Amino acid sequence: MKSVQKPLHILSLASKSSITPRSFSTSTSAIDSITAPKPTNQTQTQSLTQEEHTKINLLLPRLCLLNHLDTATHLTITALLTNPPLKSLSLSILIHSFTSQSDMARPMSLLTRLRHNPPSHPYLTPISTMFIASYFKKNKPKEALKMFNWLVRPGSPCVLDERVCEVLVNGFCKNGMVLEALKVLRAMLSTNIVPGCGLKKWVYKVLLREARIKEAVELNEALGCVGDREKGDESECVKKVLALLDHMIGNWAE
């Protein structure tokens, strides 16, 4: 079994008035040894104090700005393994730094580490959503697609929610990736997530732009029944939409 060690030694660095590349080059190995989980006979999940949260949020931007991304990753994972509220950690600059890289190695390393720790599974979808939104902002829709495929792969512990689906559908529609948007729509309906009005409009409009008027009208009408109990049996409405989506996806021609 493994225990989570509080990153107190790392956090002490945050109290310094400045952090330089030289100061970190001499302490990286010590930081790595402290953040690495140590074997023990019992599972111990320690919580972070408010002071420690503050120090982490001060230190992460400095690490990212100095391009100490490995250390930033270790610190983030160590903090998340203590199961804090996700909103208590300022991860925006870390997400930005990771998605600015030429490959997806760092985001996937972080997510994979969390995947191997079941108590951290609730973080997977919201953190993936942050990565996906950042990739779209950087005009990297292919990376966003890879992240979606990772979320829904067989055996995945991730659970889709309305937020990540909205980000994906909106992003794919804006990038003209209609087939991918339809696949996300199908995935969310398969997990009983009711599409919002905004999402329905995005799909309808992008199909019209692709001159797929017949499909746009049929799908829009079918989606109108989903979530509206007055228009019939909910399960039958969903089945109808799924069948229509399967037909559209199966016959899609790029």
Side-chain angles (χ1 to χ4, degrees), residues 131-157:
F131 281 128
I132 290 168
S134 184
Y135 278 130
F136 278 129
K137 288 180 181 179
K138 293 178 172 61
N139 296 315
K140 295 182 176 182
K142 291 183 179 179
E143 285 79 355
L145 175 59
K146 290 178 181 178
M147 190 70 69
F148 167 66
N149 289 333
W150 185 84
L151 284 171
V152 298
R153 74 199 184 287
S156 171

Side-chain angles (χ1 to χ4, degrees), residues 51-68:
E51 180 182 4
E52 288 167 344
H53 278 127
T54 300
K55 289 182 177 180
I56 288 174
N57 290 331
L58 287 172
L59 184 53
L60 278 175
R62 302 181 191 181
L63 290 169
C64 292
L65 290 173
L66 290 171
N67 203 34
H68 290 287

